[in-house]
Amino acid sequence: MSRRMLLALFVLGVAAALTQLALWWLTPPPPPSTFAGPPRSSYTLHDFHLTALGDDGRPALFLQAPQLDRRNGDDALYINAPRFILPQNNGPAWQGHSRFGWVNAQGTELKLLGDVHMLQPATGGGPPSTITSQNITAWPREHRLVSAARTEIQQPNATLVGIGFRANTATRTLELLDDAHGTFLPATHPAP
């Protein structure tokens, strides 16, 4: 191999090394990792009781459960096995429980998740009522409830079943949205 060839290889090697060094020097550093891990609670409450007030200052929701977690970022409340009471302006309050619950950061929306069972005791003018469904969304201050799941409504002499419902507990109206079926038994009267 000639000296010229060796010199040319040496010059090319030095040029390649300098190019790589310049590239390394001028390339910006990689961005820092944004992975923060799983969501962490801002705080956790055990065996808590919560009262949410409506715009009029009266209780709109009573809630108790064995555990509540508030998570950083969305400020929502995540609840295990909630028991709740939805007070009514006229008539007895709706009482119930579900497997899980979620309350938005503003406290205006309540999601009852899993098996949801609600009961309204008998009123002076009406019989007791129960609602059994899955994944009910409630707006306690507006007295509204909705679900897209199969729902069963029972009173002593009637059973209604359908897919999805909308309810206004203040006006005591409930609408089954699809595939509704009803069973109505004759009212029993005491013997004279």
Side-chain angles (χ1 to χ4, degrees), residues 132-134 147-152 161-164:
T132 305
S133 190
Q134 298 278 323
S147 177
R150 181 184 184 279
T151 302
E152 183 174 304
V161 178
I163 306 298

Side-chain angles (χ1 to χ4, degrees), residues 70-191:
R70 179 180 170 267
R71 298 208 178 133
N72 285 332
D74 66 357
D75 293 335
L77 304 177
Y78 296 82
I79 306 160
N80 290 338
R83 295 184 130 350
F84 55 90
I85 298 174
L86 299 169
Q88 302 301 304
N89 293 335
N90 50 356
W94 281 92
Q95 307 164 29
H97 58 87
S98 65
R99 291 189 64 201
F100 301 101
W102 175 88
V103 179
N104 68 349
Q106 298 77 26
T108 57
E109 182 178 347
L110 167 67
K111 290 186 184 278
L112 303 165
L113 307 169
D115 298 327
V116 183
H117 182 78
M118 299 177 64
L119 165 72
Q120 185 179 44
T123 63
S129 300
T130 62
I131 298 174
T132 305
S133 190
Q134 298 278 323
N135 303 342
I136 294 175
T137 302
W139 293 270
R141 293 177 183 167
E142 301 170 20
H143 301 282
R144 290 189 309 124
L145 304 168
V146 298
S147 177
R150 181 184 184 279
T151 302
E152 183 174 304
I153 302 153
Q154 290 189 326
Q155 291 184 335
N157 295 326
T159 300
L160 300 171
V161 178
I163 306 298
F165 80 93
R166 286 189 291 240
N168 183 317
T169 59
T171 60
R172 298 181 56 93
T173 57
L174 191 137
E175 176 184 3
L176 291 170
L177 302 177
D178 191 29
D179 197 25
H181 303 277
T183 303
F184 299 92
L185 301 174
T188 58
H189 299 285

